[in-house]
Amino acid sequence: MGGWMYHAGQETPVPKPRFVLYIIVILVLLAGGSISPMAADDTPSVVDSQSFLLANMKPAGPDGKTFAPAVEKLLGQMTLKEKIGQMTQLEIGMVTDGVDQGIHINPEKLHKAVGEYGAGAILNVKDEGLSPQHWHEIIGAIQAEAKKSRLQIPVLYGIDTIHGPNYVMGGTLFPQPLGMAATWNPELMLRGSQIAAGETRKAAIPWTFSPVLDSGRQALWPRLFETLGEDTYLGTVMGVATVRGYEGTDISNPFHVASCLKHYIGYSYPKTGGDRSPAEIPEAVLREYFLPQFAAAVKAGAATVMVNSSEVNGIPGHANGYLLKTVLRDELGFQGVVDSDWMDIKKLVFIHHVAADEKEATRISVMAGVDMSMVPSDYSFSDLLLQLVQEGKVPVSRIDEAVRRILTLKYRLGLFDDPMRGEDNKVVEGSPESRQAARDAAGESITLLKNENHVLPLAKTAHVLVTGPDADSLIPLDNGWSYTWQGNKASAYPKDYATILAAIQKKIGAGNVTYVQGAEFDKEQDSDKAAAAAASADAVVLCLGEWAYAETPGNIHDLMLPEAQLRLAEKVMAAKKPVILVLTEGRPRIVRPIVEGAGAVLMAYNPGNEGGEAIADILFGDVNPSGKLPITYPRWSDRLFTYDHKLFEGEELPQPMEVPQFEFGSGLSYTKFSYSDLQVTPMGSGDRKIQVSVSVKNDGERAGKEVVQLYLNERYASVSPPLKRLKRFAKILLQPGESHRVAFELNREDLSFIGAENQRVVEPGMFDVRVGGLLQSFQWQ
């Protein structure tokens, strides 16, 4: 389990890493106990990104080599059909009847899937998530059937734990990953992932299809909210934190699960912005901006990888042996299981047209490096692969290779010792401690983008109009992957969490709040009534944004906020009262027409079930906002770019089209921070380091957290360099008048880039270091 470490200067003494705490944690876990999340005031005052990253790169145990003799013995006893069964992954409907809470095991179906075909893995829900007890019934029956089989190989169950155990009823839901990235706090990501792992394993589910390490560089993409933002380094740090939180130091531990890196690779950058649509990414760009997150997570020991559902440069992910074998296996050294995505081997025929029939598609994908097929709703993969091996078109050695990896994972997870491991752990789903951790995370994610004339925080004596389609529902706070796939089933949500409206009423009293919905997501409703109410209010909290969606159903053609919401905004702004625009959305919808009329803008992302309370905390000053954008917020729908773009012609004299609505890394506070005395010192020779230090001071009257961001650029290079790249960050807590000397260390790798030959190179030249508006340069020879 990783820790937090940092460098600091002489101005303020700082604590040492808490090694004793980690020893206690490990001893408690080994004894079968549980660990409550740290209290909010126990959060470290500084989180240095690189030290955190290095401390969490050690893979979780147990080492697969430990089980090699047992795996080889078992493999030697298996028939060809049994081996192919292990490579087969079926959805839950193949062994059950019913839907939602009425789902139940069908013994005949179960026997066919596990008893006859020997399916190695099962996944998913039938529409709704289940309680831990209901999961125990379903999975217990599956494992009991496996126990009756000749070799008694346990079944591996997987689920999408995306922002907490979102398919385990009663579990703790955190902000969606994009919101977690906005905290710029890897400790919070680690803590949230630990809680998610424990509550998932409590349901006897040992495998999560998470994290999404796709770079979120296409704002239209409907899965942007599942990513960790547009920046490679931020995504790397937060991705490793997620893997470490899920897997801990030992994935057989009943509080941890195996992670799955997805969707390898390039899935998130479709040319059209549509889900599962083609991407065109030059290899140099792929290696520069998309591969590093996966490389770091592989080094951190991630157990499994899921393949890109679409295609890159005309080659479908499930047919791309170069990326799956040469790059992933040979270059990155990945040793775990490669899983297909939903029905994607079949899609090689009817979507990608690289195979004439499913049999050929099966051969192509298995030979390209896919170890397990998420078939998921028939037995075609098993039947066709058996034929292919018998015909000599797929060698038995390739089957053995895949099954060896699958069996090793099951041994590492402890499933051979206890296929229900985790059901008896001491975790309490949705405990007060876990809910507080989720509220802390939501509070640190919410990003204050505008605060004209100090409109915020609002006085608790103010009379407030709350309006907008997202004001009185948990659905936009959570978005997709929340109790159901699309997250849009209101009846599935718990009743003991506050919407934004309910949280504001609780905060200042219902008598001080007027509520008018004003509009539906894309339909006008009672906007005139809202405008009239605005005239008699002291302030307006305008809750706009998106409704819930996941994957392809979330495709849109335009990022502009729906017209009904824009009209509502214009009408309430006409009252000339302070308007606080609160955005709950999974991607940045264009707000250019209304942002000028807003006194304040809060980007809340999808903050989870605790998001209503967290938003109210910030609106009324109980929490000082500290979130920073993990994406570039666009001003125009047809002018989308990331912060690390190349220089536009004419950008030296910025034009309105080249200026985003809000910059990557931006975010305001209720206090003021100043930066001074930036020092950059190259050290030593050979593989030398560059020391960077800066003083940061809280000049305001209240405590606050600031994200110190270090950007680097090379002025001239053989491949045109981006304007700047994030290389380090640290989140620091400063009391009024307090200052810290924050120090970072850069290395040769930080100066490198992917050159014209698609290899990482370092070239001599002049480099600029930017921190907090300050700039210093150094020469690298």
Coordinates of all heavy atoms in Angstrom, one line a residue, residues 265-340:
I265 N -5.8 0.4 -26.6 CA -5.3 1.8 -26.4 C -5.8 2.7 -27.5 O -6.1 2.2 -28.6 CB -3.8 1.8 -26.3 CG1 -3.2 3.1 -25.9 CG2 -3.2 1.3 -27.6 CD1 -1.7 3.2 -25.7
G266 N -6.0 4.0 -27.2 CA -6.5 4.9 -28.2 C -8.0 5.0 -28.3 O -8.5 5.8 -29.2
Y267 N -8.7 4.2 -27.5 CA -10.2 4.2 -27.6 C -10.9 5.6 -27.4 O -11.9 5.9 -27.9 CB -10.7 3.2 -26.5 CG -12.2 3.0 -26.3 CD1 -13.0 2.8 -27.4 CD2 -12.7 3.0 -25.0 CE1 -14.4 2.6 -27.2 CE2 -14.1 2.8 -24.8 CZ -14.9 2.6 -25.9 OH -16.2 2.5 -25.7
S268 N -10.2 6.4 -26.6 CA -10.8 7.6 -26.1 C -10.7 8.8 -27.1 O -11.1 9.9 -26.8 CB -10.2 8.1 -24.8 OG -8.8 8.3 -24.9
Y269 N -10.1 8.5 -28.2 CA -9.8 9.7 -29.1 C -10.4 9.5 -30.5 O -9.8 9.6 -31.5 CB -8.3 9.8 -29.3 CG -7.8 11.2 -29.7 CD1 -8.2 12.3 -29.0 CD2 -7.0 11.3 -30.8 CE1 -7.8 13.6 -29.4 CE2 -6.6 12.6 -31.2 CZ -6.9 13.7 -30.5 OH -6.5 14.9 -30.9
P270 N -11.7 9.1 -30.5 CA -12.4 8.9 -31.8 C -12.5 10.2 -32.6 O -12.7 11.3 -32.1 CB -13.8 8.4 -31.4 CG -14.0 9.0 -30.1 CD -12.7 9.0 -29.4
K271 N -12.3 10.1 -33.9 CA -12.3 11.3 -34.7 C -13.6 12.0 -34.7 O -13.6 13.3 -34.7 CB -11.9 10.8 -36.2 CG -11.6 12.0 -37.1 CD -11.1 11.5 -38.5 CE -10.7 12.6 -39.4 NZ -10.2 12.1 -40.7
T272 N -14.7 11.3 -34.6 CA -16.0 11.9 -34.6 C -16.5 12.3 -33.2 O -17.4 13.0 -33.1 CB -17.1 11.0 -35.3 OG1 -17.2 9.9 -34.4 CG2 -16.7 10.6 -36.7
G273 N -15.8 11.8 -32.2 CA -16.3 12.0 -30.8 C -17.3 10.9 -30.4 O -17.6 10.8 -29.2
G274 N -17.7 10.1 -31.3 CA -18.7 9.0 -31.0 C -18.0 7.8 -30.3 O -16.9 7.5 -30.7
D275 N -18.8 7.2 -29.4 CA -18.2 6.0 -28.8 C -18.1 4.9 -29.7 O -18.8 4.7 -30.7 CB -19.2 5.6 -27.7 CG -18.7 4.5 -26.8 OD1 -17.4 4.5 -26.5 OD2 -19.4 3.6 -26.4
R276 N -17.0 4.1 -29.5 CA -16.7 2.9 -30.3 C -16.6 3.3 -31.8 O -17.0 2.5 -32.7 CB -17.7 1.8 -30.1 CG -17.6 1.1 -28.8 CD -18.7 0.0 -28.6 NE -18.3 -0.9 -27.6 CZ -18.5 -0.7 -26.2 NH1 -19.0 0.5 -25.8 NH2 -18.1 -1.6 -25.4
S277 N -16.0 4.4 -32.1 CA -15.8 4.8 -33.5 C -14.3 5.0 -33.7 O -13.5 5.2 -32.8 CB -16.6 6.1 -33.8 OG -16.2 7.2 -33.0
P278 N -13.9 5.0 -35.0 CA -12.4 4.9 -35.3 C -11.6 6.1 -34.8 O -12.1 7.2 -34.8 CB -12.4 4.7 -36.8 CG -13.7 4.2 -37.2 CD -14.7 4.8 -36.2
A279 N -10.4 5.8 -34.5 CA -9.4 6.9 -34.1 C -8.3 6.8 -35.1 O -7.9 5.8 -35.6 CB -8.9 6.6 -32.7
E280 N -7.8 8.0 -35.4 CA -6.6 8.1 -36.3 C -5.5 8.8 -35.4 O -5.6 10.0 -35.2 CB -6.9 8.9 -37.5 CG -7.9 8.2 -38.4 CD -8.3 9.0 -39.7 OE1 -7.7 10.1 -39.9 OE2 -9.2 8.6 -40.4
I281 N -4.6 8.0 -35.0 CA -3.5 8.5 -34.0 C -2.2 8.1 -34.5 O -1.8 6.9 -34.5 CB -3.8 8.0 -32.6 CG1 -5.2 8.2 -32.2 CG2 -2.8 8.7 -31.6 CD1 -5.5 7.5 -30.8
P282 N -1.3 9.0 -35.0 CA 0.0 8.6 -35.4 C 0.7 8.0 -34.2 O 0.5 8.3 -33.0 CB 0.7 10.0 -35.7 CG -0.5 10.9 -36.0 CD -1.6 10.5 -35.2
E283 N 1.6 7.0 -34.5 CA 2.2 6.2 -33.4 C 3.0 7.1 -32.5 O 3.0 6.9 -31.2 CB 3.2 5.2 -34.0 CG 3.8 4.3 -32.9 CD 4.5 3.1 -33.4 OE1 4.4 2.8 -34.7 OE2 5.2 2.4 -32.7
A284 N 3.6 8.2 -33.0 CA 4.4 9.1 -32.1 C 3.4 9.7 -31.0 O 3.7 9.9 -29.9 CB 5.1 10.2 -32.9
V285 N 2.2 10.1 -31.5 CA 1.2 10.7 -30.6 C 0.7 9.7 -29.6 O 0.5 9.9 -28.4 CB 0.1 11.3 -31.4 CG1 -1.0 11.8 -30.5 CG2 0.6 12.5 -32.3
L286 N 0.5 8.5 -30.1 CA 0.0 7.4 -29.3 C 1.0 7.1 -28.2 O 0.6 7.0 -27.0 CB -0.2 6.1 -30.1 CG -1.0 5.0 -29.5 CD1 -2.5 5.3 -29.5 CD2 -0.8 3.7 -30.2
R287 N 2.2 7.1 -28.5 CA 3.3 6.8 -27.5 C 3.5 8.0 -26.5 O 3.8 7.8 -25.4 CB 4.6 6.5 -28.2 CG 4.6 5.1 -28.8 CD 5.9 4.8 -29.5 NE 5.9 3.4 -30.0 CZ 6.3 2.3 -29.3 NH1 6.7 2.5 -28.1 NH2 6.3 1.1 -29.8
E288 N 3.3 9.2 -27.0 CA 3.5 10.4 -26.2 C 2.4 10.7 -25.2 O 2.6 11.0 -24.1 CB 3.7 11.6 -27.1 CG 4.1 12.9 -26.4 CD 5.6 12.9 -25.9 OE1 6.5 13.0 -26.8 OE2 5.8 12.7 -24.7
Y289 N 1.2 10.5 -25.7 CA 0.0 11.0 -24.9 C -0.9 9.9 -24.4 O -1.7 10.2 -23.5 CB -0.8 12.0 -25.7 CG 0.0 13.2 -26.1 CD1 0.5 13.4 -27.4 CD2 0.1 14.3 -25.2 CE1 1.2 14.5 -27.7 CE2 0.8 15.4 -25.5 CZ 1.4 15.5 -26.8 OH 2.1 16.7 -27.1
F290 N -0.8 8.7 -24.9 CA -1.8 7.7 -24.5 C -1.1 6.5 -23.8 O -1.8 5.8 -23.0 CB -2.5 7.2 -25.8 CG -3.4 8.2 -26.4 CD1 -2.9 9.1 -27.3 CD2 -4.7 8.3 -26.1 CE1 -3.7 10.1 -27.9 CE2 -5.6 9.3 -26.6 CZ -5.0 10.2 -27.5
L291 N 0.1 6.1 -24.2 CA 0.7 4.9 -23.6 C 1.3 5.1 -22.2 O 1.3 4.1 -21.4 CB 1.9 4.5 -24.6 CG 2.5 3.1 -24.3 CD1 1.4 2.0 -24.4 CD2 3.6 2.9 -25.3
P292 N 1.8 6.3 -21.8 CA 2.5 6.3 -20.5 C 1.6 5.9 -19.3 O 2.1 5.3 -18.3 CB 2.9 7.8 -20.4 CG 3.1 8.2 -21.8 CD 2.0 7.5 -22.6
Q293 N 0.3 6.2 -19.3 CA -0.6 5.9 -18.2 C -0.6 4.3 -18.1 O -0.6 3.8 -17.0 CB -2.0 6.4 -18.4 CG -2.1 7.9 -18.5 CD -2.0 8.4 -19.9 OE1 -1.1 8.1 -20.7 NE2 -3.0 9.3 -20.3
F294 N -0.8 3.6 -19.2 CA -0.8 2.2 -19.2 C 0.6 1.6 -18.8 O 0.6 0.7 -18.0 CB -1.2 1.6 -20.6 CG -2.6 1.8 -20.9 CD1 -3.0 3.0 -21.6 CD2 -3.6 0.9 -20.5 CE1 -4.4 3.1 -21.9 CE2 -4.9 1.1 -20.8 CZ -5.3 2.2 -21.5
A295 N 1.6 2.2 -19.2 CA 3.0 1.7 -18.9 C 3.2 1.8 -17.4 O 3.7 0.9 -16.8 CB 4.0 2.5 -19.6
A296 N 2.8 2.9 -16.8 CA 3.0 3.1 -15.3 C 2.1 2.1 -14.5 O 2.6 1.5 -13.5 CB 2.7 4.5 -14.9
A297 N 0.9 1.9 -15.0 CA 0.0 1.0 -14.3 C 0.4 -0.4 -14.4 O 0.2 -1.2 -13.5 CB -1.5 1.2 -14.8
V298 N 1.0 -0.8 -15.6 CA 1.5 -2.1 -15.7 C 2.7 -2.3 -14.8 O 2.8 -3.3 -14.1 CB 2.0 -2.4 -17.2 CG1 2.8 -3.6 -17.3 CG2 0.7 -2.5 -18.1
K299 N 3.6 -1.3 -14.7 CA 4.7 -1.4 -13.8 C 4.2 -1.5 -12.3 O 4.9 -2.1 -11.5 CB 5.6 -0.1 -13.9 CG 6.9 -0.2 -13.2 CD 7.8 1.0 -13.5 CE 9.1 0.9 -12.8 NZ 10.0 2.1 -13.1
A300 N 3.1 -0.9 -12.0 CA 2.5 -1.0 -10.7 C 1.8 -2.3 -10.4 O 1.4 -2.5 -9.3 CB 1.5 0.2 -10.4
G301 N 1.8 -3.2 -11.4 CA 1.3 -4.5 -11.2 C -0.1 -4.8 -11.5 O -0.7 -5.8 -11.1
A302 N -0.8 -4.0 -12.3 CA -2.2 -4.2 -12.7 C -2.4 -5.6 -13.2 O -1.6 -6.1 -14.1 CB -2.6 -3.2 -13.7
A303 N -3.4 -6.3 -12.8 CA -3.6 -7.7 -13.0 C -4.1 -8.0 -14.4 O -3.8 -9.1 -15.0 CB -4.5 -8.3 -12.0
T304 N -4.9 -7.1 -15.0 CA -5.6 -7.4 -16.2 C -5.7 -6.2 -17.1 O -5.5 -5.0 -16.6 CB -7.0 -8.0 -16.1 OG1 -7.9 -7.0 -15.5 CG2 -7.0 -9.2 -15.1
V305 N -5.9 -6.4 -18.4 CA -6.1 -5.3 -19.3 C -7.3 -5.6 -20.2 O -7.5 -6.8 -20.6 CB -4.8 -5.1 -20.2 CG1 -5.1 -4.3 -21.5 CG2 -3.7 -4.5 -19.4
M306 N -8.1 -4.6 -20.5 CA -9.2 -4.8 -21.5 C -8.9 -4.0 -22.7 O -8.3 -2.9 -22.7 CB -10.5 -4.2 -20.9 CG -11.8 -4.5 -21.7 SD -13.3 -3.9 -21.0 CE -13.5 -5.1 -19.7
V307 N -9.3 -4.6 -23.9 CA -8.9 -4.1 -25.2 C -9.8 -3.1 -25.7 O -11.0 -3.1 -25.4 CB -8.8 -5.3 -26.2 CG1 -8.3 -4.9 -27.6 CG2 -7.9 -6.4 -25.7
N308 N -9.3 -2.1 -26.4 CA -10.0 -1.1 -27.1 C -11.1 -1.7 -28.0 O -10.9 -2.6 -28.8 CB -9.0 -0.3 -28.0 CG -9.7 0.8 -28.9 OD1 -10.9 0.9 -28.9 ND2 -8.8 1.5 -29.6
S309 N -12.3 -1.2 -27.8 CA -13.5 -1.8 -28.5 C -13.5 -1.3 -30.0 O -14.2 -1.9 -30.8 CB -14.8 -1.3 -27.9 OG -14.9 -1.9 -26.6
S310 N -12.8 -0.3 -30.3 CA -12.8 0.2 -31.7 C -11.5 -0.1 -32.4 O -10.9 -1.1 -32.2 CB -13.1 1.7 -31.6 OG -13.4 2.2 -32.9
E311 N -11.1 0.9 -33.2 CA -9.9 0.7 -34.0 C -9.0 1.9 -34.0 O -9.5 3.0 -33.8 CB -10.3 0.3 -35.4 CG -11.0 1.3 -36.2 CD -11.4 0.9 -37.6 OE1 -12.1 -0.2 -37.7 OE2 -11.1 1.6 -38.5
V312 N -7.7 1.7 -34.2 CA -6.8 2.8 -34.3 C -6.0 2.6 -35.7 O -5.5 1.6 -35.9 CB -5.8 2.8 -33.2 CG1 -4.7 3.9 -33.4 CG2 -6.5 3.1 -31.8
N313 N -6.1 3.7 -36.5 CA -5.4 3.7 -37.8 C -5.8 2.5 -38.6 O -5.0 1.9 -39.3 CB -3.9 3.7 -37.6 CG -3.4 4.9 -36.8 OD1 -4.1 5.9 -36.8 ND2 -2.3 4.7 -36.1
G314 N -7.1 2.1 -38.5 CA -7.7 1.1 -39.4 C -7.5 -0.3 -38.9 O -8.1 -1.3 -39.5
I315 N -6.8 -0.5 -37.7 CA -6.7 -1.9 -37.2 C -7.5 -2.0 -35.9 O -7.2 -1.3 -34.9 CB -5.2 -2.1 -36.9 CG1 -4.3 -1.8 -38.0 CG2 -5.0 -3.6 -36.4 CD1 -4.6 -2.6 -39.3
P316 N -8.5 -2.8 -35.9 CA -9.3 -3.0 -34.6 C -8.4 -3.4 -33.5 O -7.4 -4.2 -33.7 CB -10.3 -4.1 -35.0 CG -10.4 -4.1 -36.5 CD -9.0 -3.7 -37.0
G317 N -8.7 -3.0 -32.3 CA -8.0 -3.3 -31.1 C -7.8 -4.8 -30.9 O -6.8 -5.3 -30.5
H318 N -8.9 -5.5 -31.2 CA -8.9 -7.0 -31.0 C -8.2 -7.8 -32.0 O -8.1 -9.0 -32.0 CB -10.4 -7.5 -30.8 CG -11.0 -7.0 -29.5 ND1 -11.4 -5.7 -29.3 CD2 -11.3 -7.7 -28.4 CE1 -11.9 -5.6 -28.1 NE2 -11.8 -6.7 -27.5
A319 N -7.7 -7.1 -33.0 CA -6.9 -7.7 -34.1 C -5.5 -7.2 -34.2 O -4.7 -7.5 -35.1 CB -7.6 -7.5 -35.4
N320 N -5.1 -6.3 -33.2 CA -3.9 -5.6 -33.3 C -2.8 -6.3 -32.5 O -2.5 -5.9 -31.4 CB -4.1 -4.1 -32.8 CG -3.0 -3.2 -33.3 OD1 -1.8 -3.6 -33.4 ND2 -3.4 -2.0 -33.7
G321 N -2.1 -7.2 -33.2 CA -1.0 -8.0 -32.5 C 0.1 -7.1 -32.1 O 0.8 -7.4 -31.2
Y322 N 0.4 -6.1 -32.9 CA 1.5 -5.2 -32.6 C 1.3 -4.5 -31.3 O 2.2 -4.5 -30.4 CB 1.7 -4.1 -33.7 CG 2.7 -3.1 -33.4 CD1 4.0 -3.4 -33.3 CD2 2.3 -1.8 -33.1 CE1 5.0 -2.4 -33.0 CE2 3.2 -0.8 -32.8 CZ 4.5 -1.1 -32.8 OH 5.5 -0.1 -32.5
L323 N 0.1 -4.0 -31.0 CA -0.1 -3.3 -29.8 C -0.3 -4.3 -28.6 O 0.1 -4.0 -27.5 CB -1.4 -2.4 -29.9 CG -1.2 -1.1 -30.8 CD1 -2.5 -0.4 -30.9 CD2 -0.1 -0.2 -30.3
L324 N -0.9 -5.4 -28.9 CA -1.2 -6.4 -27.8 C 0.0 -7.2 -27.4 O 0.1 -7.6 -26.3 CB -2.4 -7.3 -28.2 CG -3.8 -6.6 -28.2 CD1 -4.8 -7.6 -28.7 CD2 -4.2 -6.0 -26.9
K325 N 0.8 -7.5 -28.4 CA 2.0 -8.4 -28.1 C 3.3 -7.6 -28.1 O 4.0 -7.5 -27.1 CB 2.0 -9.5 -29.1 CG 0.9 -10.5 -29.0 CD 1.0 -11.7 -29.8 CE 1.0 -11.4 -31.3 NZ 0.9 -12.7 -32.1
T326 N 3.6 -6.9 -29.2 CA 4.9 -6.2 -29.3 C 5.0 -5.1 -28.2 O 6.0 -5.0 -27.5 CB 5.1 -5.7 -30.7 OG1 5.0 -6.7 -31.6 CG2 6.5 -5.0 -30.8
V327 N 4.0 -4.3 -28.1 CA 4.1 -3.2 -27.2 C 3.7 -3.6 -25.8 O 4.5 -3.4 -24.9 CB 3.2 -2.0 -27.7 CG1 3.2 -0.8 -26.7 CG2 3.6 -1.5 -29.1
L328 N 2.5 -4.2 -25.6 CA 2.0 -4.5 -24.3 C 2.9 -5.5 -23.6 O 3.3 -5.4 -22.4 CB 0.6 -4.9 -24.3 CG -0.1 -5.2 -23.0 CD1 -0.2 -4.0 -22.1 CD2 -1.5 -5.8 -23.2
R329 N 3.1 -6.6 -24.3 CA 3.9 -7.7 -23.6 C 5.4 -7.5 -23.7 O 6.0 -7.5 -22.6 CB 3.6 -9.0 -24.4 CG 2.1 -9.5 -24.3 CD 1.7 -10.0 -22.9 NE 0.3 -10.5 -23.0 CZ -0.3 -10.9 -21.9 NH1 0.2 -10.8 -20.7 NH2 -1.6 -11.4 -21.9
D330 N 5.9 -7.2 -24.9 CA 7.4 -7.2 -25.0 C 8.0 -5.9 -24.4 O 8.9 -5.9 -23.7 CB 7.8 -7.3 -26.4 CG 7.3 -8.7 -27.0 OD1 7.1 -9.6 -26.2 OD2 7.3 -8.8 -28.3
E331 N 7.3 -4.7 -24.8 CA 7.9 -3.5 -24.3 C 7.5 -3.1 -22.9 O 8.4 -2.8 -22.1 CB 7.4 -2.3 -25.2 CG 8.0 -2.4 -26.6 CD 7.6 -1.1 -27.4 OE1 7.3 -0.1 -26.8 OE2 7.5 -1.2 -28.7
L332 N 6.2 -3.2 -22.6 CA 5.8 -2.9 -21.2 C 6.0 -4.0 -20.2 O 5.9 -3.7 -19.0 CB 4.3 -2.4 -21.2 CG 3.9 -1.3 -22.2 CD1 2.5 -0.8 -21.9 CD2 4.9 -0.1 -22.1
G333 N 6.1 -5.2 -20.6 CA 6.3 -6.3 -19.7 C 5.1 -6.8 -19.0 O 5.2 -7.4 -18.0
F334 N 3.9 -6.6 -19.6 CA 2.7 -7.0 -19.0 C 2.6 -8.5 -19.0 O 2.8 -9.2 -20.0 CB 1.5 -6.5 -19.7 CG 0.1 -6.9 -19.1 CD1 -0.2 -6.5 -17.9 CD2 -0.7 -7.7 -19.9 CE1 -1.5 -6.8 -17.3 CE2 -2.0 -8.0 -19.3 CZ -2.3 -7.6 -18.1
Q335 N 2.3 -9.1 -17.8 CA 2.2 -10.6 -17.6 C 0.8 -11.1 -17.3 O 0.6 -12.3 -17.1 CB 3.2 -11.0 -16.5 CG 4.6 -10.6 -16.9 CD 5.6 -11.0 -15.7 OE1 5.2 -11.6 -14.7 NE2 6.9 -10.7 -15.9
G336 N -0.2 -10.2 -17.2 CA -1.5 -10.6 -16.8 C -2.4 -11.1 -17.9 O -1.9 -11.4 -19.0
V337 N -3.7 -11.0 -17.6 CA -4.7 -11.5 -18.6 C -5.2 -10.3 -19.4 O -5.5 -9.2 -18.9 CB -5.9 -12.1 -17.8 CG1 -7.0 -12.5 -18.7 CG2 -5.5 -13.3 -17.0
V338 N -5.3 -10.6 -20.7 CA -5.9 -9.6 -21.7 C -7.3 -10.1 -22.0 O -7.5 -11.2 -22.5 CB -5.1 -9.5 -23.0 CG1 -5.9 -8.7 -24.0 CG2 -3.7 -8.9 -22.7
D339 N -8.3 -9.2 -21.6 CA -9.7 -9.5 -21.8 C -10.3 -8.7 -22.9 O -9.9 -7.6 -23.2 CB -10.4 -9.1 -20.5 CG -11.9 -9.7 -20.4 OD1 -12.2 -10.6 -21.2 OD2 -12.6 -9.2 -19.6
S340 N -11.2 -9.3 -23.7 CA -11.9 -8.6 -24.7 C -13.0 -7.7 -24.1 O -13.3 -7.9 -22.9 CB -12.5 -9.5 -25.7 OG -13.8 -9.9 -25.3

